[in-house]
Amino acid sequence: MSEARNLVAAVGAGRMGRGIAHVFAYGGHPVALVDFKPRGVAEFARLAAGAMAEIETNLRALAGEGVFDAALVPAILKRIAIVRAEEAAESLCNAELVWEGVPERIEDKADALARMSALAPDAIIASTTSTMLVTELQRHVARPERFLNAHFLNPAFLIPLVEVSPSPST
């Protein structure tokens, strides 16, 4: 993983995390797409292959619509590293911006936010929820002044809108 401090990380390798990785990689940023779920090697390999295939399919569809030159797809994909839970510390410690995109369950978000906060103590942490209050979620991070809700609409790579909700601490 790059030692660059401009790394973006998206935690949660499902639909939202993949969309966020797509957006930032397309914008020229190195992105770590972090899967916090413990998985066996084969299961993780399937997840990683599926995530990259989905992002590539979406990029090629956009290129096919004339949004950008299809020759750029390999370079965009190369900016994305899909990271296992066991390797998350290395990626998150270099991140300036970490986006949480786990399922809309408080226990999942609380766990992810606490882990992200511990592994990326200097990063800005954003939750991409539209259903939970920022004041509720900020309790799960060590530095609430560096936390906000920043909800991408889905699909993140198609809808150019991010709903931003800072807390009184932000």
Side-chain angles (χ1 to χ4, degrees):
M1 183 77 347
S2 168
E3 290 298 314
R5 286 291 303 159
N6 65 345
L7 178 73
V8 174
V11 173
R15 178 95 38 221
M16 191 56 71
R18 293 172 187 192
I20 292 168
H22 172 145
V23 166
F24 282 102
Y26 176 78
H29 301 280
V31 181
L33 178 55
V34 180
D35 178 31
F36 265 173
K37 286 187 181 177
R39 301 177 194 270
V41 174
E43 184 183 4
F44 177 77
R46 283 191 298 277
L47 173 90
M52 289 303 279
E54 180 180 324
I55 295 168
E56 181 175 5
T57 296
N58 293 335
L59 285 167
R60 293 203 181 281
L62 291 171
E65 293 296 321
V67 174
F68 66 95
D69 186 341
L72 297 174
V73 170
I76 296 168
L77 290 172
K78 198 171 186 180
R79 294 182 191 123
I80 301 170
I82 303 183
V83 180
R84 296 183 63 189
E86 298 82 0
E87 299 159 353
E90 180 183 347
S91 294
L92 292 177
C93 74
N94 290 318
E96 287 186 347
L97 179 59
V98 183
W99 235 281
E100 169 274 312
V102 302
E104 294 286 303
R105 292 184 300 268
I106 188 63
E107 58 275 5
D108 292 340
K109 292 202 178 284
D111 175 65
L113 291 169
R115 291 165 65 186
M116 292 160 56
S117 182
L119 296 172
D122 296 324
I124 294 169
I125 296 177
S127 177
T128 188
T129 185
S130 64
T131 62
M132 295 178 196
L133 296 175
V134 68
T135 51
E136 165 71 18
L137 294 175
Q138 76 177 7
R139 291 188 281 194
H140 305 288
V141 298
R143 297 184 62 194
E145 72 276 9
R146 298 185 65 77
F147 177 74
L148 70 154
N149 279 357
H151 176 241
F152 274 90
L153 298 185
N154 196 12
F157 65 92
L158 281 182
I159 301 175
L161 177 65
V162 178
E163 173 186 44
V164 177
S165 303
S167 80
S169 302
T170 306

